[in-house]
Amino acid sequence: MAFFRRASQPDPDVDVEIGSPDRPRTGDTFESVLTQRLARRSFLKGAAASGALVATGGIATGGLLGSASTTAGAAAAGAAEGDMLTFAPLPPGGGQTADRIIVPEGYKSQTLLSWGDSLKAGVPSLDADSARDGYLLTDEAVAHAADQFGYNNDAVELYPLASEDGMEHYVACVNHEYTNEDLLFPDWGNADAYGVEVDGEMEFDATAYVTANPNSARYAWAVHGIAAVEIVRDPSTNEWSYVQDSPYNRRITATTPMTMSGPAIFNDLLKTAADPVGGLEVLGTLNNCAAGDTPWGTYLSAEENVDQYFGNYDAYAESAGADPKVIEAHRRLPLPGGPSYRAWEVVDERFDVALHPTEALRHGWVVEVDPMNPTAPAVKRTALGRFKHECATTIEAENGRCVVYSGDDARFEYVWKFVTAGTVNHDDRSANKDLLDEGTLYVGRFDPDGTGEWLPVVYDENGPLGPENGFHSQSDVLIMARKAGDILGATPMDRPEDVQANPVTRKMYVTLTNNSNRTAEPELGERDGREVQLFPNESNPRHDNDWGQIVEVDEGGDQTSTSFTWEIFLMAGDPRGDGQFLTSLDDIELPLGPNDTYYAGYGDNTELAAFGAPDNIGFDGVGNIWMVTDGGQPVEQNDGCFVAPTEGPTRGFARQFLSTVVDSEVCGAEFAPNFESVFFNIQHPGDGGDLFEPTSAFPAGSKDDGDNYVPRPSLIVVNKADPAADQRIGS
């Protein structure tokens, strides 16, 4: 990887107004950015009301979405053809199984950052193949990892920087979700070397491994978390690079001190021996999944499956001194009864629930990071509630309040939103510092008639969220948010993952990745500490739902509204398979079959891309939805990126834009502000094998060519192959 170095570095204390979906261009002053944002906000309101923007491609700004000189002509052609998507899609029936990134003709993919790349001068980049010799278990590897790009990167957001060198400069914030120990450490999983006898057979014992190799835990801590990295685009070549020694570069790990803020702090449930106050200092952030950015230019990273890192819960729960309130706080987000999967509790007792029963409750929040100030501590914002946050995406409502959407990524869990009490201050960035600490958290109820309610998750001394149900403050309600959702009657959904608002239409989209536990017959089942109806409902209509769906929510243009209408936008799967291909969901009978498909009413199943397990989503400048996948697919193919219009005559016409490498998932779909580049994270490549025989050799090589490199999770960027080409998406 080549490093790009500027002659002069920016002042990290200079405030820059940044926000999605209308971020500033490189070099804009704060005042001009504010003017652009206000003007564009007014334009978007009018466009959303008239529907004209999607039909005309009105804000296409060049590159992937068309050049300014040809936008009008292209828009006319696009309107005649039905939409603005003109790339030559990958074959709709699958077959993309190669161990390489595949994009349409006229595009190129570039690996920009990979696990182990150095982010600090004087720190070497990792030779990933040295993992096979046990290098990652050395003190040197642990020390270097905290200054290198982390592992299993998931979400990416971009923050433009001012520049006078003709290049485009950004801070990219990327989070690092988890570690695949079997792809990192020799003998992980080897029951002969580190085993325990169970029912007459030897099984791998992580506790024995970590006891003998404590640096396996320390290395994993260092490659979890968040990275902020300065990246640069050369407009003349469409090539990207990163600045190794930028003052913006920063790693936040599983051991980085940070703070908590908002209504939940000081609660006894957040107090530990190391922090008897409850929230003044927390060590680290764990399992950071999808993310979001704020209108004032900060990064929101979502802590998801934090339960997996803590062990020995049963020893606490069965002890004489167990606190019933602590037991109740863990009920709806259960912890492993015995040793944890990674056995971190062997090296740091804070992961041992028997010794520190409240430590886990300090994780499972949304973390705010300021990419413009690398010395500012990260903050866990408790007003947004504790659960398995998949994302924390934002939109600024018409009244100026910031609205944050989140999915709770588990089967039969809920969809959430948070509305700030105050409004975004565009004149004084620092005034937004604690905006996310006051407001109202809501959980979604999706009614059978296509309407819905956002139910306020608010403590009420005389109501259901009061003492009669074990809540004694708003702090209790937020820590036990899942329990509050149960009591309020929220709708259990099929693994809610990304939740984002379309910046053009301002409708909100919920990806429901899958739920194989939906049953064909009415029955109840215990799931994560409570009983739920397993039978499908109107918003989750399929039994044995392996392929997932996307729900479209219309809040009437007012993201602060407590009511909405909803409809299923897409039921993924193989539209040419053995299920029903539906063009209407009127008068359907529940349950639908596991292979029934629906693509927003689009009628020609021969043209539609087959895909399943939609995970993250993004939107381009004209409101098309970009969907990336994570999981098994209904046809033989790797995971990928699929794109569809959300309005107009080709609404739901999904086409494939990218295919990833073997045994990886695609995360992200984040556009640069000028829409000339789109970023994806390639997570856990080669996960179907082990350290010595992974199933992918990405990014150094390809298994198709016989290569056997240790695979490296990476951030990639897709551009036009010819930077001077006059083309929109794929033409």
Side-chain angles (χ1 to χ4, degrees), residues 493-522:
M493 306 291 275
D494 289 349
R495 275 192 66 199
E497 296 217 39
D498 215 357
V499 185
Q500 292 206 31
N502 185 324
V504 176
T505 66
R506 300 181 74 87
K507 293 179 181 178
M508 185 260 285
Y509 292 78
V510 183
T511 57
L512 303 171
T513 297
N514 53 41
N515 189 350
S516 58
N517 294 328
R518 290 281 181 191
T519 58
E521 301 296 330

PDB file of all heavy atoms in Angstrom, residues 493-522:
ATOM      1  N   MET A 493     -39.609  -8.454  15.233  1.00  0.00           N
ATOM      2  CA  MET A 493     -39.319  -8.475  13.804  1.00  0.00           C
ATOM      3  C   MET A 493     -38.257  -9.524  13.481  1.00  0.00           C
ATOM      4  O   MET A 493     -37.617 -10.089  14.357  1.00  0.00           O
ATOM      5  CB  MET A 493     -38.850  -7.087  13.360  1.00  0.00           C
ATOM      6  CG  MET A 493     -39.793  -5.940  13.728  1.00  0.00           C
ATOM      7  SD  MET A 493     -41.354  -5.951  12.822  1.00  0.00           S
ATOM      8  CE  MET A 493     -40.863  -5.084  11.327  1.00  0.00           C
ATOM      9  N   ASP A 494     -38.073  -9.762  12.182  1.00  0.00           N
ATOM     10  CA  ASP A 494     -37.137 -10.786  11.699  1.00  0.00           C
ATOM     11  C   ASP A 494     -35.715 -10.232  11.585  1.00  0.00           C
ATOM     12  O   ASP A 494     -35.233  -9.902  10.504  1.00  0.00           O
ATOM     13  CB  ASP A 494     -37.599 -11.327  10.344  1.00  0.00           C
ATOM     14  CG  ASP A 494     -38.840 -12.187  10.466  1.00  0.00           C
ATOM     15  OD1 ASP A 494     -39.227 -12.532  11.591  1.00  0.00           O
ATOM     16  OD2 ASP A 494     -39.435 -12.511   9.410  1.00  0.00           O
ATOM     17  N   ARG A 495     -35.047 -10.120  12.735  1.00  0.00           N
ATOM     18  CA  ARG A 495     -33.667  -9.610  12.824  1.00  0.00           C
ATOM     19  C   ARG A 495     -33.535  -8.217  12.206  1.00  0.00           C
ATOM     20  O   ARG A 495     -32.961  -8.034  11.133  1.00  0.00           O
ATOM     21  CB  ARG A 495     -32.669 -10.555  12.140  1.00  0.00           C
ATOM     22  CG  ARG A 495     -32.177 -11.697  12.998  1.00  0.00           C
ATOM     23  CD  ARG A 495     -31.011 -12.392  12.355  1.00  0.00           C
ATOM     24  NE  ARG A 495     -29.848 -11.528  12.281  1.00  0.00           N
ATOM     25  CZ  ARG A 495     -28.812 -11.722  11.463  1.00  0.00           C
ATOM     26  NH1 ARG A 495     -28.819 -12.748  10.637  1.00  0.00           N
ATOM     27  NH2 ARG A 495     -27.792 -10.903  11.478  1.00  0.00           N
ATOM     28  N   PRO A 496     -33.994  -7.185  12.881  1.00  0.00           N
ATOM     29  CA  PRO A 496     -33.849  -5.819  12.354  1.00  0.00           C
ATOM     30  C   PRO A 496     -32.380  -5.408  12.322  1.00  0.00           C
ATOM     31  O   PRO A 496     -31.711  -5.400  13.355  1.00  0.00           O
ATOM     32  CB  PRO A 496     -34.632  -4.968  13.353  1.00  0.00           C
ATOM     33  CG  PRO A 496     -35.459  -5.926  14.142  1.00  0.00           C
ATOM     34  CD  PRO A 496     -34.701  -7.208  14.163  1.00  0.00           C
ATOM     35  N   GLU A 497     -31.899  -5.093  11.157  1.00  0.00           N
ATOM     36  CA  GLU A 497     -30.505  -4.662  11.038  1.00  0.00           C
ATOM     37  C   GLU A 497     -30.474  -3.174  10.682  1.00  0.00           C
ATOM     38  O   GLU A 497     -30.838  -2.343  11.487  1.00  0.00           O
ATOM     39  CB  GLU A 497     -29.754  -5.557  10.050  1.00  0.00           C
ATOM     40  CG  GLU A 497     -29.681  -6.998  10.556  1.00  0.00           C
ATOM     41  CD  GLU A 497     -28.379  -7.695  10.250  1.00  0.00           C
ATOM     42  OE1 GLU A 497     -27.304  -7.071  10.334  1.00  0.00           O
ATOM     43  OE2 GLU A 497     -28.427  -8.897   9.946  1.00  0.00           O
ATOM     44  N   ASP A 498     -30.065  -2.838   9.475  1.00  0.00           N
ATOM     45  CA  ASP A 498     -29.932  -1.415   9.157  1.00  0.00           C
ATOM     46  C   ASP A 498     -31.298  -0.751   9.043  1.00  0.00           C
ATOM     47  O   ASP A 498     -32.269  -1.358   8.564  1.00  0.00           O
ATOM     48  CB  ASP A 498     -29.172  -1.254   7.841  1.00  0.00           C
ATOM     49  CG  ASP A 498     -28.286  -0.019   7.830  1.00  0.00           C
ATOM     50  OD1 ASP A 498     -28.311   0.743   8.818  1.00  0.00           O
ATOM     51  OD2 ASP A 498     -27.556   0.174   6.842  1.00  0.00           O
ATOM     52  N   VAL A 499     -31.378   0.496   9.495  1.00  0.00           N
ATOM     53  CA  VAL A 499     -32.586   1.313   9.396  1.00  0.00           C
ATOM     54  C   VAL A 499     -32.131   2.679   8.916  1.00  0.00           C
ATOM     55  O   VAL A 499     -31.370   3.362   9.603  1.00  0.00           O
ATOM     56  CB  VAL A 499     -33.308   1.449  10.752  1.00  0.00           C
ATOM     57  CG1 VAL A 499     -34.624   2.190  10.584  1.00  0.00           C
ATOM     58  CG2 VAL A 499     -33.533   0.092  11.400  1.00  0.00           C
ATOM     59  N   GLN A 500     -32.560   3.075   7.719  1.00  0.00           N
ATOM     60  CA  GLN A 500     -32.082   4.345   7.163  1.00  0.00           C
ATOM     61  C   GLN A 500     -33.208   5.080   6.465  1.00  0.00           C
ATOM     62  O   GLN A 500     -34.114   4.469   5.901  1.00  0.00           O
ATOM     63  CB  GLN A 500     -30.947   4.113   6.161  1.00  0.00           C
ATOM     64  CG  GLN A 500     -29.669   3.614   6.784  1.00  0.00           C
ATOM     65  CD  GLN A 500     -28.449   3.988   5.966  1.00  0.00           C
ATOM     66  OE1 GLN A 500     -28.412   5.017   5.297  1.00  0.00           O
ATOM     67  NE2 GLN A 500     -27.427   3.149   6.016  1.00  0.00           N
ATOM     68  N   ALA A 501     -33.092   6.402   6.489  1.00  0.00           N
ATOM     69  CA  ALA A 501     -34.034   7.256   5.783  1.00  0.00           C
ATOM     70  C   ALA A 501     -33.489   7.592   4.400  1.00  0.00           C
ATOM     71  O   ALA A 501     -32.315   7.951   4.252  1.00  0.00           O
ATOM     72  CB  ALA A 501     -34.291   8.534   6.573  1.00  0.00           C
ATOM     73  N   ASN A 502     -34.329   7.457   3.388  1.00  0.00           N
ATOM     74  CA  ASN A 502     -33.981   7.864   2.034  1.00  0.00           C
ATOM     75  C   ASN A 502     -33.878   9.382   2.013  1.00  0.00           C
ATOM     76  O   ASN A 502     -34.852  10.076   2.319  1.00  0.00           O
ATOM     77  CB  ASN A 502     -35.071   7.370   1.076  1.00  0.00           C
ATOM     78  CG  ASN A 502     -34.759   7.628  -0.378  1.00  0.00           C
ATOM     79  OD1 ASN A 502     -34.169   8.634  -0.741  1.00  0.00           O
ATOM     80  ND2 ASN A 502     -35.200   6.709  -1.228  1.00  0.00           N
ATOM     81  N   PRO A 503     -32.710   9.950   1.667  1.00  0.00           N
ATOM     82  CA  PRO A 503     -32.558  11.401   1.730  1.00  0.00           C
ATOM     83  C   PRO A 503     -33.392  12.153   0.713  1.00  0.00           C
ATOM     84  O   PRO A 503     -33.583  13.368   0.849  1.00  0.00           O
ATOM     85  CB  PRO A 503     -31.064  11.612   1.476  1.00  0.00           C
ATOM     86  CG  PRO A 503     -30.655  10.424   0.681  1.00  0.00           C
ATOM     87  CD  PRO A 503     -31.476   9.288   1.209  1.00  0.00           C
ATOM     88  N   VAL A 504     -33.902  11.459  -0.301  1.00  0.00           N
ATOM     89  CA  VAL A 504     -34.703  12.111  -1.333  1.00  0.00           C
ATOM     90  C   VAL A 504     -36.183  12.090  -0.964  1.00  0.00           C
ATOM     91  O   VAL A 504     -36.844  13.132  -0.901  1.00  0.00           O
ATOM     92  CB  VAL A 504     -34.461  11.454  -2.706  1.00  0.00           C
ATOM     93  CG1 VAL A 504     -35.377  12.069  -3.764  1.00  0.00           C
ATOM     94  CG2 VAL A 504     -33.004  11.596  -3.112  1.00  0.00           C
ATOM     95  N   THR A 505     -36.718  10.910  -0.695  1.00  0.00           N
ATOM     96  CA  THR A 505     -38.151  10.802  -0.380  1.00  0.00           C
ATOM     97  C   THR A 505     -38.435  10.952   1.109  1.00  0.00           C
ATOM     98  O   THR A 505     -39.587  11.129   1.491  1.00  0.00           O
ATOM     99  CB  THR A 505     -38.693   9.433  -0.821  1.00  0.00           C
ATOM    100  OG1 THR A 505     -38.081   8.406  -0.020  1.00  0.00           O
ATOM    101  CG2 THR A 505     -38.387   9.176  -2.292  1.00  0.00           C
ATOM    102  N   ARG A 506     -37.400  10.814   1.935  1.00  0.00           N
ATOM    103  CA  ARG A 506     -37.486  10.863   3.393  1.00  0.00           C
ATOM    104  C   ARG A 506     -38.300   9.709   3.975  1.00  0.00           C
ATOM    105  O   ARG A 506     -38.673   9.738   5.142  1.00  0.00           O
ATOM    106  CB  ARG A 506     -38.008  12.225   3.881  1.00  0.00           C
ATOM    107  CG  ARG A 506     -37.120  13.398   3.452  1.00  0.00           C
ATOM    108  CD  ARG A 506     -37.620  14.735   3.957  1.00  0.00           C
ATOM    109  NE  ARG A 506     -37.379  14.904   5.382  1.00  0.00           N
ATOM    110  CZ  ARG A 506     -36.242  15.382   5.904  1.00  0.00           C
ATOM    111  NH1 ARG A 506     -35.228  15.699   5.112  1.00  0.00           N
ATOM    112  NH2 ARG A 506     -36.115  15.533   7.202  1.00  0.00           N
ATOM    113  N   LYS A 507     -38.562   8.681   3.177  1.00  0.00           N
ATOM    114  CA  LYS A 507     -39.125   7.460   3.717  1.00  0.00           C
ATOM    115  C   LYS A 507     -38.008   6.662   4.394  1.00  0.00           C
ATOM    116  O   LYS A 507     -36.830   6.791   4.059  1.00  0.00           O
ATOM    117  CB  LYS A 507     -39.779   6.625   2.618  1.00  0.00           C
ATOM    118  CG  LYS A 507     -41.011   7.273   2.005  1.00  0.00           C
ATOM    119  CD  LYS A 507     -41.592   6.390   0.904  1.00  0.00           C
ATOM    120  CE  LYS A 507     -42.815   7.047   0.259  1.00  0.00           C
ATOM    121  NZ  LYS A 507     -43.357   6.214  -0.857  1.00  0.00           N
ATOM    122  N   MET A 508     -38.375   5.831   5.346  1.00  0.00           N
ATOM    123  CA  MET A 508     -37.418   5.055   6.112  1.00  0.00           C
ATOM    124  C   MET A 508     -37.519   3.581   5.724  1.00  0.00           C
ATOM    125  O   MET A 508     -38.617   3.077   5.468  1.00  0.00           O
ATOM    126  CB  MET A 508     -37.682   5.274   7.606  1.00  0.00           C
ATOM    127  CG  MET A 508     -36.673   4.626   8.529  1.00  0.00           C
ATOM    128  SD  MET A 508     -37.302   3.081   9.177  1.00  0.00           S
ATOM    129  CE  MET A 508     -38.496   3.655  10.380  1.00  0.00           C
ATOM    130  N   TYR A 509     -36.360   2.915   5.648  1.00  0.00           N
ATOM    131  CA  TYR A 509     -36.305   1.518   5.224  1.00  0.00           C
ATOM    132  C   TYR A 509     -35.652   0.678   6.320  1.00  0.00           C
ATOM    133  O   TYR A 509     -34.624   1.064   6.884  1.00  0.00           O
ATOM    134  CB  TYR A 509     -35.536   1.381   3.909  1.00  0.00           C
ATOM    135  CG  TYR A 509     -36.285   2.008   2.749  1.00  0.00           C
ATOM    136  CD1 TYR A 509     -36.278   3.391   2.566  1.00  0.00           C
ATOM    137  CD2 TYR A 509     -37.033   1.226   1.878  1.00  0.00           C
ATOM    138  CE1 TYR A 509     -37.002   3.977   1.537  1.00  0.00           C
ATOM    139  CE2 TYR A 509     -37.756   1.808   0.840  1.00  0.00           C
ATOM    140  CZ  TYR A 509     -37.734   3.183   0.672  1.00  0.00           C
ATOM    141  OH  TYR A 509     -38.455   3.758  -0.343  1.00  0.00           O
ATOM    142  N   VAL A 510     -36.267  -0.472   6.608  1.00  0.00           N
ATOM    143  CA  VAL A 510     -35.795  -1.388   7.643  1.00  0.00           C
ATOM    144  C   VAL A 510     -35.403  -2.696   6.986  1.00  0.00           C
ATOM    145  O   VAL A 510     -36.246  -3.356   6.354  1.00  0.00           O
ATOM    146  CB  VAL A 510     -36.892  -1.660   8.694  1.00  0.00           C
ATOM    147  CG1 VAL A 510     -36.352  -2.548   9.809  1.00  0.00           C
ATOM    148  CG2 VAL A 510     -37.454  -0.363   9.261  1.00  0.00           C
ATOM    149  N   THR A 511     -34.139  -3.091   7.114  1.00  0.00           N
ATOM    150  CA  THR A 511     -33.739  -4.399   6.605  1.00  0.00           C
ATOM    151  C   THR A 511     -33.936  -5.438   7.697  1.00  0.00           C
ATOM    152  O   THR A 511     -33.452  -5.290   8.816  1.00  0.00           O
ATOM    153  CB  THR A 511     -32.272  -4.409   6.134  1.00  0.00           C
ATOM    154  OG1 THR A 511     -31.416  -4.003   7.208  1.00  0.00           O
ATOM    155  CG2 THR A 511     -32.069  -3.486   4.962  1.00  0.00           C
ATOM    156  N   LEU A 512     -34.660  -6.486   7.355  1.00  0.00           N
ATOM    157  CA  LEU A 512     -34.912  -7.612   8.251  1.00  0.00           C
ATOM    158  C   LEU A 512     -34.213  -8.805   7.621  1.00  0.00           C
ATOM    159  O   LEU A 512     -34.679  -9.367   6.627  1.00  0.00           O
ATOM    160  CB  LEU A 512     -36.415  -7.839   8.401  1.00  0.00           C
ATOM    161  CG  LEU A 512     -37.180  -6.597   8.899  1.00  0.00           C
ATOM    162  CD1 LEU A 512     -38.684  -6.808   8.807  1.00  0.00           C
ATOM    163  CD2 LEU A 512     -36.781  -6.263  10.335  1.00  0.00           C
ATOM    164  N   THR A 513     -33.074  -9.183   8.178  1.00  0.00           N
ATOM    165  CA  THR A 513     -32.140 -10.059   7.473  1.00  0.00           C
ATOM    166  C   THR A 513     -32.660 -11.472   7.291  1.00  0.00           C
ATOM    167  O   THR A 513     -32.538 -12.053   6.215  1.00  0.00           O
ATOM    168  CB  THR A 513     -30.785 -10.057   8.193  1.00  0.00           C
ATOM    169  OG1 THR A 513     -30.256  -8.736   8.140  1.00  0.00           O
ATOM    170  CG2 THR A 513     -29.805 -11.007   7.547  1.00  0.00           C
ATOM    171  N   ASN A 514     -33.216 -12.062   8.330  1.00  0.00           N
ATOM    172  CA  ASN A 514     -33.788 -13.403   8.210  1.00  0.00           C
ATOM    173  C   ASN A 514     -34.353 -13.818   9.559  1.00  0.00           C
ATOM    174  O   ASN A 514     -34.111 -13.167  10.577  1.00  0.00           O
ATOM    175  CB  ASN A 514     -32.770 -14.456   7.715  1.00  0.00           C
ATOM    176  CG  ASN A 514     -31.501 -14.482   8.547  1.00  0.00           C
ATOM    177  OD1 ASN A 514     -31.529 -14.375   9.767  1.00  0.00           O
ATOM    178  ND2 ASN A 514     -30.370 -14.639   7.879  1.00  0.00           N
ATOM    179  N   ASN A 515     -35.083 -14.912   9.563  1.00  0.00           N
ATOM    180  CA  ASN A 515     -35.571 -15.495  10.811  1.00  0.00           C
ATOM    181  C   ASN A 515     -36.063 -16.908  10.522  1.00  0.00           C
ATOM    182  O   ASN A 515     -37.247 -17.128  10.247  1.00  0.00           O
ATOM    183  CB  ASN A 515     -36.684 -14.663  11.438  1.00  0.00           C
ATOM    184  CG  ASN A 515     -37.058 -15.133  12.826  1.00  0.00           C
ATOM    185  OD1 ASN A 515     -36.620 -16.188  13.262  1.00  0.00           O
ATOM    186  ND2 ASN A 515     -37.890 -14.366  13.512  1.00  0.00           N
ATOM    187  N   SER A 516     -35.152 -17.849  10.592  1.00  0.00           N
ATOM    188  CA  SER A 516     -35.512 -19.240  10.318  1.00  0.00           C
ATOM    189  C   SER A 516     -36.380 -19.835  11.421  1.00  0.00           C
ATOM    190  O   SER A 516     -36.887 -20.959  11.277  1.00  0.00           O
ATOM    191  CB  SER A 516     -34.242 -20.088  10.154  1.00  0.00           C
ATOM    192  OG  SER A 516     -33.433 -19.996  11.318  1.00  0.00           O
ATOM    193  N   ASN A 517     -36.581 -19.090  12.523  1.00  0.00           N
ATOM    194  CA  ASN A 517     -37.401 -19.587  13.630  1.00  0.00           C
ATOM    195  C   ASN A 517     -38.887 -19.262  13.484  1.00  0.00           C
ATOM    196  O   ASN A 517     -39.681 -19.630  14.359  1.00  0.00           O
ATOM    197  CB  ASN A 517     -36.894 -19.014  14.955  1.00  0.00           C
ATOM    198  CG  ASN A 517     -35.510 -19.529  15.307  1.00  0.00           C
ATOM    199  OD1 ASN A 517     -35.156 -20.645  14.972  1.00  0.00           O
ATOM    200  ND2 ASN A 517     -34.717 -18.708  15.970  1.00  0.00           N
ATOM    201  N   ARG A 518     -39.278 -18.575  12.424  1.00  0.00           N
ATOM    202  CA  ARG A 518     -40.705 -18.395  12.159  1.00  0.00           C
ATOM    203  C   ARG A 518     -41.318 -19.747  11.790  1.00  0.00           C
ATOM    204  O   ARG A 518     -40.771 -20.479  10.955  1.00  0.00           O
ATOM    205  CB  ARG A 518     -40.928 -17.405  11.023  1.00  0.00           C
ATOM    206  CG  ARG A 518     -40.601 -15.961  11.345  1.00  0.00           C
ATOM    207  CD  ARG A 518     -41.691 -15.300  12.146  1.00  0.00           C
ATOM    208  NE  ARG A 518     -41.358 -13.892  12.429  1.00  0.00           N
ATOM    209  CZ  ARG A 518     -42.015 -13.132  13.282  1.00  0.00           C
ATOM    210  NH1 ARG A 518     -43.062 -13.617  13.937  1.00  0.00           N
ATOM    211  NH2 ARG A 518     -41.662 -11.882  13.485  1.00  0.00           N
ATOM    212  N   THR A 519     -42.444 -20.062  12.381  1.00  0.00           N
ATOM    213  CA  THR A 519     -43.051 -21.380  12.191  1.00  0.00           C
ATOM    214  C   THR A 519     -44.286 -21.309  11.301  1.00  0.00           C
ATOM    215  O   THR A 519     -44.961 -20.273  11.226  1.00  0.00           O
ATOM    216  CB  THR A 519     -43.443 -21.993  13.541  1.00  0.00           C
ATOM    217  OG1 THR A 519     -44.345 -21.112  14.218  1.00  0.00           O
ATOM    218  CG2 THR A 519     -42.217 -22.209  14.406  1.00  0.00           C
ATOM    219  N   ALA A 520     -44.594 -22.414  10.652  1.00  0.00           N
ATOM    220  CA  ALA A 520     -45.759 -22.468   9.765  1.00  0.00           C
ATOM    221  C   ALA A 520     -47.055 -22.615  10.544  1.00  0.00           C
ATOM    222  O   ALA A 520     -48.133 -22.306  10.022  1.00  0.00           O
ATOM    223  CB  ALA A 520     -45.608 -23.618   8.775  1.00  0.00           C
ATOM    224  N   GLU A 521     -46.966 -23.081  11.778  1.00  0.00           N
ATOM    225  CA  GLU A 521     -48.150 -23.265  12.611  1.00  0.00           C
ATOM    226  C   GLU A 521     -48.068 -22.347  13.825  1.00  0.00           C
ATOM    227  O   GLU A 521     -46.978 -22.086  14.337  1.00  0.00           O
ATOM    228  CB  GLU A 521     -48.264 -24.718  13.078  1.00  0.00           C
ATOM    229  CG  GLU A 521     -48.346 -25.735  11.950  1.00  0.00           C
ATOM    230  CD  GLU A 521     -49.598 -25.553  11.111  1.00  0.00           C
ATOM    231  OE1 GLU A 521     -50.622 -25.093  11.674  1.00  0.00           O
ATOM    232  OE2 GLU A 521     -49.567 -25.871   9.913  1.00  0.00           O
ATOM    233  N   PRO A 522     -49.215 -21.853  14.305  1.00  0.00           N
ATOM    234  CA  PRO A 522     -49.195 -20.973  15.481  1.00  0.00           C
ATOM    235  C   PRO A 522     -48.605 -21.680  16.696  1.00  0.00           C
ATOM    236  O   PRO A 522     -49.053 -22.768  17.072  1.00  0.00           O
ATOM    237  CB  PRO A 522     -50.674 -20.642  15.703  1.00  0.00           C
ATOM    238  CG  PRO A 522     -51.314 -20.874  14.371  1.00  0.00           C
ATOM    239  CD  PRO A 522     -50.556 -22.004  13.741  1.00  0.00           C
TER     240      PRO A 522
END
